[in-house]
Amino acid sequence: MLIGALEAGGTKMVCSIGNRQGEVLQRASFPTLSPEITVPQILDFMSKFDIKALGIGSFGPLDLNPASPNYGGIRMTPKKEWQGYPLLTVMRDELGVPTGIDTDVNAAALAEATLGAGRGMQSLLYVTVGTGIGGGLIVNGQVVHGLVHPEVGHMLLAPADGDGMPDGICPFHRHCLEGLASGPAIEKRWGLSSKLMTKDHPAWDLEAGYLAQMCANMICSVSPEIIVLGGGVMQQAHLFPRIREKTLALLNGYVDSDRITPEGIVSYIVPPALGVNSGVIGALLLGAKALRKAQEGEE
């Protein structure tokens, strides 16, 4: 049985065909232009396969209140042409299959909690660090939505001493995590893409410090059993030891757990076990869940 998966990103739309087990069989991607250009490309790809359900992990903010008339729609995104776009409704109606939706980072968190680094645990925090920064939280095996959905990337941080760009670049907040530590923030601060930086570039200590502040804040506020850091910036594997060390220093022995020790934190703040496939696998799981709900409703 085939399930469609859409990773709706701010830069590109990745369309995949897979199954309930999270196996990816086909994939294609399209630039994220206006809905009028991009959505027909997505629908054309999906319609070539006999999919029984669709799962969507999308950039946001999203309306994730099932009681809302705009459920599954994109809210006040900086991508103005997508503001208010009814993504779930369009995909479900055009393809005629059960469709599930969540934020892209929630989808990745779901995948890591179900099949990846957090398998067997009851709570997990997944944070993606790339063009933007977002966080997905799993508690008691369930994705946390709450009032809207967590916006980890917009928590406010203390700017580091000596940071030449202490206010960050976020158009909404001064010195929030995304404004200080996203890929575009790194590039604007240093005039160089993070992909071109050497391991000894001073950018990395600053970056690790900001991400450690986030980790310490989340450990103290929601106490996840594991923190998974993914996204393009985190492809720099040398960041992990720096973040772990700085997180321990910030917590200063306050959190009494064998996971928050120099030995334990190595398996506590970790990269995604599913690698770059966390998002697509999460979308497949959302599609499988939507299919189960539809089938239960028919019984």
Side-chain angles (χ1 to χ4, degrees):
M1 182 180 295
L2 298 180
I3 295 175
L6 171 61
E7 297 173 89
T11 302
K12 63 182 178 180
M13 299 281 181
V14 180
C15 303
S16 302
I17 305 297
N19 57 31
R20 294 196 229 202
Q21 292 73 46
E23 297 173 310
V24 180
L25 308 173
Q26 295 280 346
R27 195 184 312 236
S29 66
F30 309 100
T32 303
L33 304 176
S34 68
E36 292 76 18
I37 296 172
T38 303
V39 169
Q41 294 175 313
I42 297 168
L43 293 171
D44 179 65
F45 174 82
M46 294 292 179
S47 64
K48 293 176 181 176
F49 303 90
D50 184 23
I51 61 172
K52 301 302 181 185
L54 174 68
I56 303 170
S58 175
F59 68 91
L62 296 177
D63 186 336
L64 294 177
N65 179 3
S68 169
N70 300 314
Y71 175 59
I74 298 173
R75 297 165 68 94
M76 291 300 292
T77 173
K79 297 187 72 64
K80 294 184 178 180
E81 63 270 33
W82 288 86
Q83 288 180 4
Y85 189 77
L87 184 61
L88 171 66
T89 301
V90 171
M91 292 295 155
R92 182 187 59 207
D93 293 353
E94 290 293 328
L95 294 171
V97 297
T99 302
I101 191 169
D102 213 320
T103 65
D104 48 3
V105 71
N106 277 352
L110 178 64
E112 287 293 328
T114 306
L115 299 170
R119 191 169 187 170
M121 300 181 189
Q122 288 298 301
S123 62
L124 171 146
L125 173 68
Y126 182 100
V127 178
T128 182
V129 186
T131 303
I133 297 180
L137 183 63
I138 307 290
V139 174
N140 295 327
Q142 300 296 318
V143 178
V144 172
H145 291 142
L147 180 66
V148 281
H149 50 76
E151 288 282 6
V152 173
H154 292 275
M155 70 167 64
L156 303 182
L157 302 181
D161 292 340
D163 185 352
M165 197 177 71
D167 286 347
I169 63 169
C170 177
F172 296 98
H173 315 110
R174 293 175 57 219
H175 51 81
C176 73
L177 176 62
E178 182 172 292
L180 291 168
S182 64
I186 296 171
E187 184 166 354
K188 183 168 183 180
R189 180 184 288 112
W190 300 101
L192 181 68
S193 168
S194 62
K195 296 176 182 178
L196 302 176
M197 291 176 174
T198 58
K199 293 180 182 180
D200 60 353
H201 195 287
W204 299 123
D205 264 347
L206 192 64
E207 181 73 4
Y210 286 135
L211 293 174
Q213 281 195 58
M214 177 274 297
C215 289
N217 288 340
M218 296 303 287
I219 290 167
C220 290
S221 58
V222 299
S223 197
E225 291 176 79
I226 190 167
I227 296 175
V228 182
L229 303 180
V233 171
M234 296 310 303
Q235 296 296 310
Q236 303 280 345
H238 61 86
L239 264 177
F240 282 90
R242 302 179 198 226
I243 294 167
R244 294 169 184 142
E245 179 182 357
K246 290 176 182 292
T247 300
L248 288 173
L250 288 170
L251 293 172
N252 197 29
Y254 181 75
V255 178
D256 186 12
S257 168
D258 60 4
R259 307 297 300 280
I260 311 300
T261 63
E263 298 76 25
I265 203 165
V266 175
S267 59
Y268 180 72
I269 298 176
V270 298
L274 301 174
V276 297
N277 288 318
S278 299
V280 62
I281 292 172
L284 290 172
L285 293 174
L286 290 172
K289 181 179 179 181
L291 180 59
R292 284 195 304 272
K293 288 181 65 175
Q295 292 172 336
E296 290 167 359
E298 293 171 358
E299 294 175 357

